[in-house]
Amino acid sequence: MNNFEFKNPTKIIFGKDTIEKLESEITSDAKVLLLYGGGSIKKNGIYEQVTKALSKVKVVEFGGIPANPEYSILMEALKVIKDEKITYLLAVGGGSVIDGTKFLSAAAVYNGDTPWDILTKKIRTEKGMPFGTVLTLPATGSEMNSGAVITRAETKEKLSMGGPGLFPEFSILDPQVIRSIPERQLANGLADAFTHVLEQYMTYPIGALLQDRFAESILQTLIEVTPKVLKDPTDYKSAADFMWSCTMALNGLIQKGVPGDWAVHMMGHELTALFGIDHARTLAVITPSHYKYNFEAKKEKLAQYGERVWNITEGSIDDKAYAAIERTEAFFHELGIDTKLSDYTKDYEGTAEEIAKRFTDRGWKGLGEHQNLSPDKVEKIVKMAY
Ligand code: NZQ
Ligand code: ZN
């Protein structure tokens, strides 16, 4: 196991009817900016619960943060923060609203002229404006980590940011919120969380037995709850397992002491930036090709995953590893998620070259756990995913 340090300061308030606990998490002298997305919270009762719990503090609202939070819209919210002298941010939404709020937390205290520099210059935020979240969509883990991904339509870019100052102070996780989530978004959440675990697990063995088993148990739990969650999102037991699995998949715990990959996400983000494909679906497009291309480097972990998670016990390491890739692709299909770029766009020719060029222009020399996936290799992987 590699050396590591671990600190996660986010307080999790988990369970049925917990949104009312907001009241005791934000001090009464705060001036709160309540941030939300396209309006689902106004149809499913979450907005009423939140505003009731906030009745004793001053609240200003900012809605309309789109999926893949858009820089130009967030800049409007930043103006509200400054004009209204906001002191506390509250995200009520999925990964997009929470990530947008993290950007605002950083931008509110940033001294430079152009907040976009936080993303392009990789400026880490040591202390942002304090914020909390009410999670409405299990998927990203953003509710308990310090990372965010922001999109800029003008330049077709989607870039990551973060820093120790960007953990939510608290996150309220009431699994009942999944009742109103459309099936497509439930499938996205399952696929995203599943891939988060894979990114931190599908590397090479380093003998971190506990982290391997943490990762495998999250994968097994997601697989077990998938049919139940899709069939009946009002089934509280499955909703609770689903929600907690998504948070555990990306709150930093399972990545401690082990190598990480994240190349699937790096390539996937470009597909969202170029074509607007849902985040989770881009991961399903890239994952099978990525594992096939890097088969030799990853086959031991692939075989272990195949055996322990999918009960693939027949054949050699190579056989099991290959079957594990096929089984993973089949899992995405079971979620109703297509796994080829051409399933999403007819305009795919040239995509691999464009992504490789973007990585070269950004000076990204090598992705993956060995940091050896140079832009020319990325180009090959993306082409395999057409
Ligand atoms: O905007 P509203 O109207 O609220 O509707 C949303 C949105 O259309 C809807 N929704 C959310 N909760 C709902 C609901 N509809 C009905 N009932 C509810 N309870 O779902 C749609 C998608 O929401 P979004 O927040 O975009 O989804 P998700 O949570 O999957 O977030 C995706 C974003 O997170 C980033 C992605 O890149 C993408 O931009 N990621 C963030 C990560 C992080 N911070 O750690 C890691 C991830 O890998 C990912 O990159
Ligand atoms: Zn993701």
Side-chain angles (χ1 to χ4, degrees):
M1 205 187 300
N2 298 330
N3 293 2
F4 67 87
E5 293 181 11
F6 182 52
K7 179 178 179 184
N8 189 317
T10 302
K11 173 177 177 181
I12 295 293
I13 302 169
F14 187 97
K16 228 176 229 183
D17 302 328
T18 42
I19 295 177
E20 62 188 34
K21 298 202 173 176
L22 250 181
E23 191 174 0
S24 45
E25 294 304 317
I26 302 178
T27 53
S28 55
D29 57 349
K31 186 164 184 192
V32 178
L33 184 62
L34 162 56
L35 294 137
Y36 60 93
S40 68
I41 64 163
K42 296 213 166 160
K43 293 184 204 132
N44 55 20
I46 295 174
Y47 176 82
E48 282 74 18
Q49 293 177 59
V50 167
T51 45
K52 190 169 167 220
L54 290 178
S55 59
K56 294 201 184 101
V57 284
K58 282 196 202 112
V59 181
V60 177
E61 291 181 21
F62 187 92
I65 297 176
N68 306 310
E70 162 59 29
Y71 177 68
S72 60
I73 294 175
L74 295 170
M75 291 303 285
E76 290 169 27
L78 185 60
K79 187 168 181 311
V80 176
I81 291 172
K82 303 226 156 132
D83 292 350
E84 296 281 345
K85 299 196 169 39
I86 296 293
T87 62
Y88 201 96
L89 306 174
L90 178 67
V92 183
S96 294
V97 173
I98 299 176
D99 281 12
T101 301
K102 288 178 180 173
F103 168 78
L104 293 170
S105 163
V109 301
Y110 179 62
N111 285 324
D113 298 330
T114 320
W116 187 245
D117 289 348
I118 298 171
L119 292 126
T120 51
K121 296 186 179 158
K122 297 223 160 278
I123 295 169
R124 285 167 62 76
T125 302
E126 297 297 326
K127 192 170 182 348
M129 179 173 279
F131 69 99
T133 89
V134 175
L135 181 67
T136 66
L137 171 55
T140 64
S142 188
E143 66 279 6
M144 200 180 174
N145 69 39
S146 59
V149 197
I150 305 299
T151 295
R152 191 170 188 179
E154 191 190 348
T155 51
K156 290 198 171 180
E157 285 172 287
K158 182 167 168 112
L159 299 175
S160 319
M161 56 174 285
L166 294 180
F167 283 97
E169 285 194 335
F170 67 88
S171 284
I172 297 186
L173 277 56
D174 180 345
Q176 295 174 115
V177 298
I178 85 155
R179 288 187 293 211
S180 60
I181 301 175
E183 188 170 334
R184 167 201 174 91
Q185 298 297 348
L186 289 170
N188 283 353
L190 290 156
D192 192 23
F194 198 85
T195 314
H196 292 160
V197 179
L198 293 179
E199 295 269 39
Q200 302 163 89
Y201 170 94
M202 206 62 77
T203 57
Y204 51 88
I206 64 153
L209 301 186
L210 184 60
Q211 279 89 331
D212 275 3
R213 290 198 166 94
F214 278 151
E216 289 152 2
S217 64
I218 297 171
L219 296 171
Q220 286 168 318
T221 308
L222 286 168
I223 291 166
E224 190 172 331
V225 299
T226 287
K228 297 181 202 165
V229 164
L230 293 179
K231 187 164 166 254
D232 181 11
T234 67
D235 168 2
Y236 182 80
K237 277 189 190 165
S238 305
D241 284 321
F242 168 38
M243 193 171 236
W244 187 226
S245 295
C246 292
T247 303
M248 286 300 291
L250 196 49
N251 65 2
L253 180 67
I254 67 169
Q255 79 192 24
K256 293 299 158 189
V258 300
D261 180 345
W262 294 108
V264 172
H265 271 70
M266 291 302 139
M267 290 181 256
H269 287 165
E270 299 305 321
L271 297 181
T272 301
L274 289 166
F275 301 107
I277 304 168
D278 291 355
H279 169 64
R281 285 161 203 257
T282 68
L283 308 177
V285 166
I286 298 292
T287 298
S289 305
H290 180 59
Y291 291 168
K292 282 179 193 159
Y293 185 84
N294 294 291
F295 190 79
E296 281 307 312
K298 291 184 182 288
K299 67 183 183 186
E300 284 181 62
K301 286 304 282 284
L302 276 165
Q304 178 181 317
Y305 154 77
E307 242 179 83
R308 294 190 187 176
V309 175
W310 292 112
N311 298 317
I312 299 166
T313 51
E314 301 285 308
S316 63
I317 296 259
D318 285 43
D319 294 339
K320 285 187 254 189
Y322 194 79
I325 300 174
E326 305 252 280
R327 191 62 195 81
T328 307
E329 192 164 5
F331 178 59
F332 291 131
H333 290 151
E334 283 157 24
L335 289 168
I337 295 182
D338 291 321
T339 53
K340 287 285 170 205
L341 183 58
S342 50
D343 296 323
Y344 296 89
T345 173
K346 290 195 173 58
D347 209 13
Y348 56 84
E349 288 298 345
T351 304
E353 290 85 348
E354 170 64 19
I355 293 177
K357 181 179 175 302
R358 286 174 163 219
F359 285 11
T360 305
D361 291 349
R362 285 186 209 139
W364 291 2
K365 295 195 174 62
L367 303 180
E369 66 271 23
H370 296 291
Q371 305 207 320
N372 62 357
L373 283 185
S374 46
D376 59 311
K377 292 179 181 160
V378 164
E379 186 175 321
K380 292 196 177 105
I381 294 167
V382 177
K383 248 183 207 159
M384 284 167 68
Y386 283 0

